Amino acid sequence: MSAETTGSRGFTYWRLRFRAWRGSRPFWAGLYTMAGGVPIAYFPYANLHLGNITLAMSTTAGAGSLIIGVLLITLGLTIWYHQQVRVFAGVAAILLALISLPVANIGGFLMGFLLALFGGALALSWVPAKPKRRDLRAQAGDPSGDEPDGGTVPGPRGEESGTAVTETTVDANGGRNSAG
């Protein structure tokens, strides 16, 4: 290690990195979808022990519930890492949750069904955040980031197509009224 390195990074650094990563994607949608796949895939193969009694929930559709559970977990990861296909993954998660009702022990005893349904709905409703004003100014090439000082007078504007010069609505000419 050289003298310039700060050593290991602390908990705060990793927490802030995770927070930024989580904020840039439909995190909760993917988490709920994956959490919905776990009980759907688990319960047909689980043996519950109640004292000396073993209760097995295995059904003839055990393979179908395993496939549905694995697909839901895969769709949850897809929602996290490929936001472009979040609508497809959300619709697929909702359909798989509905299919799990008759196939996989009432959708993992309704726990997996509700989690997958809620995760799919969150994936459908998530939209990326709009860029902040500073980011828009930097893309436009205005490095100052300041508002105009008011001392400059704008030059003459050309007539915009589709609007009349005497139109006085707020929407005419970009929200400015014409004085004559």
Side-chain angles (χ1 to χ4, degrees):
M1 272 175 49
S2 68
E4 289 86 23
T5 60
T6 59
S8 65
R9 295 186 172 142
F11 175 74
T12 304
Y13 171 79
W14 293 109
R15 183 181 58 86
L16 291 176
R17 290 232 6 205
F18 175 70
R19 183 185 220 178
W21 178 82
R22 186 187 70 201
S24 66
R25 62 197 70 244
F27 176 77
W28 294 108
L31 186 67
Y32 284 135
T33 303
M34 286 187 286
V38 171
I40 290 173
Y42 176 73
F43 283 136
Y45 296 101
N47 291 330
L48 301 174
H49 299 286
L50 300 172
N52 292 334
I53 300 172
T54 301
L55 182 63
M57 301 306 298
S58 60
T59 62
T60 58
S65 62
L66 181 64
I67 290 171
I68 290 172
V70 169
L71 282 175
L72 283 172
I73 292 170
T74 305
L75 286 171
L77 290 171
T78 302
I79 291 170
W80 273 359
Y81 293 108
H82 298 286
Q83 296 89 24
Q84 299 86 355
V85 293
R86 72 183 183 286
V87 174
F88 167 75
V91 169
I94 290 172
L95 290 175
L96 284 172
L98 290 172
I99 290 171
S100 74
L101 284 173
V103 171
N105 293 332
I106 312 170
F109 299 116
L110 294 178
M111 288 188 312
F113 166 72
L114 291 175
L115 285 170
L117 195 69
F118 191 62
L122 283 176
L124 286 174
S125 65
W126 184 84
V127 292
K130 293 181 181 177
K132 295 183 181 177
R133 296 191 97 195
R134 275 186 251 157
D135 296 339
L136 291 175
R137 282 192 206 116
Q139 289 175 356
D142 182 20
S144 65
D146 296 332
E147 296 294 323
D149 58 356
T152 60
V153 178
R157 337 180 271 248
E159 185 175 331
E160 297 175 7
S161 64
T163 59
V165 175
T166 59
E167 198 171 13
T168 59
T169 62
V170 175
D171 295 329
N173 291 330
R176 294 177 270 170
N177 291 326
S178 175

